[in-house]
Amino acid sequence: AQSVTQPDIHITVSEGASLELRCNYSYGATPYLFWYVQSPGQGLQLLLKYFSGDTLVQGIKGFEAEFKRSQSSFNLRKPSVHWSDAAEYFCAVGYSGTYKYIFGTGTRLKVLA
Amino acid sequence: IAGITQAPTSQILAAGRRMTLRCTQDMRHNAMYWYRQDLGLGLRLIHYSNTAGTTGKGEVPDGYSVSRANTDDFPLTLASAVPSQTSVYFCASSAERGWGEQFFGPGTRLTVL
């Protein structure tokens, strides 16, 4: 069955530290991969997406993610976290020929001043 | 301003009552979705619509119904609300299959007592 796993429910980092949020998916073919961010009380906003080409993709707010087919992973990274990055982050997978997504359960990021 | 609007913003509802959550988009997107977001469970798809006139069941459709009479509107109805339907509900839309970004509304916080 298709699935998306975000193994870290909560992550706490200090402001200025680097960040990596993990995402693994289960699917037989190459999926379309997304990271969304949700600030408190808000809807979700797209950070970045991958569907072909360069496996390292750049997004908004200084985020990047790398698609690793061999590991079925699409981890999100940021070299230096800002306090405003505190939010919940969702990895999602879309599949060719369908409009549907599968979302991970989310990782809540806390940033220490 | 282009985007998705949802109404109401929040609602407290007695169990057994009927409730319709409204969703309207002005981006002329083909696909629309309803998700519920619960702590620790991420976003789960309730129903979706690939185009006006068609709808489909998602992961957790029981107790909910939808209609898609036109491109812009995608209401979600709870025929007889139960406390387990207490959640935050998000409407979303997308233009392309699989690889398309989903645009999210601000959400409706529903409490069923």
Side-chain angles (χ1 to χ4, degrees):
Chain A
Q2 301 153 354
S3 65
V4 178
T5 301
Q6 293 181 248
D8 303 305
I9 298 173
H10 298 280
I11 283 185
T12 300
V13 299
S14 298
E15 191 170 21
S18 64
L19 173 70
E20 183 169 27
L21 303 182
R22 295 182 291 166
C23 174
N24 293 93
Y25 66 91
S26 172
Y27 183 58
T30 300
Y32 303 106
L33 299 160
F34 307 82
W35 275 100
Y36 286 83
V37 60
Q38 184 182 31
S39 298
Q42 305 287 320
L44 279 71
Q45 179 187 18
L46 181 71
L47 282 175
L48 48 78
K49 65 181 178 182
Y50 169 83
F51 52 88
S52 68
D54 193 346
T55 56
L56 183 65
V57 291
Q58 303 296 321
I60 62 172
K61 306 184 181 186
F63 285 92
E64 66 178 27
E66 186 172 13
F67 170 56
K68 293 186 177 180
R69 184 189 305 274
S70 61
Q71 300 177 18
S72 296
S73 69
F74 189 56
N75 294 348
L76 182 71
R77 302 194 295 248
K78 187 169 185 179
S80 179
V81 170
H82 188 263
W83 64 267
S84 61
D85 293 324
E88 189 152 22
Y89 293 80
F90 291 93
C91 181
V93 177
Y95 300 95
S96 177
T98 175
Y99 283 98
K100 292 193 288 184
Y101 279 27
I102 296 176
F103 281 87
T105 53
T107 298
R108 186 170 296 277
L109 174 65
K110 182 177 180 180
V111 180
L112 301 176
Chain B
I1 298 176
I4 295 181
T5 57
Q6 292 184 237
T9 302
S10 65
Q11 181 75 44
I12 299 174
L13 189 67
R17 297 295 297 269
R18 181 184 179 89
M19 177 72 191
T20 295
L21 308 185
R22 300 185 297 278
C23 174
T24 299
Q25 55 110 352
D26 62 2
M27 296 173 284
R28 307 303 293 173
H29 286 169
N30 284 328
M32 297 187 75
Y33 314 81
W34 274 105
Y35 294 92
R36 59 178 290 173
Q37 184 178 28
D38 303 288
L39 193 64
L41 298 176
L43 278 82
R44 293 180 293 168
L45 182 65
I46 304 171
H47 285 287
Y48 67 96
S49 169
N50 288 340
T51 189
T54 68
T55 62
K57 294 181 179 180
E59 182 183 355
V60 288
D62 294 343
Y64 305 95
S65 64
V66 292
S67 61
R68 187 88 183 276
N70 57 61
T71 298
D72 298 342
D73 301 299
F74 191 44
L76 176 73
T77 298
L78 290 68
S80 179
V82 295
S84 62
Q85 293 177 311
T86 293
S87 187
V88 181
Y89 291 86
F90 287 99
C91 181
S93 71
S94 70
E96 303 96 359
R97 295 185 179 200
W99 57 85
E101 173 183 358
Q102 290 198 359
F103 293 83
F104 285 81
T108 293
R109 182 174 295 276
L110 181 66
T111 302
V112 183
L113 301 176

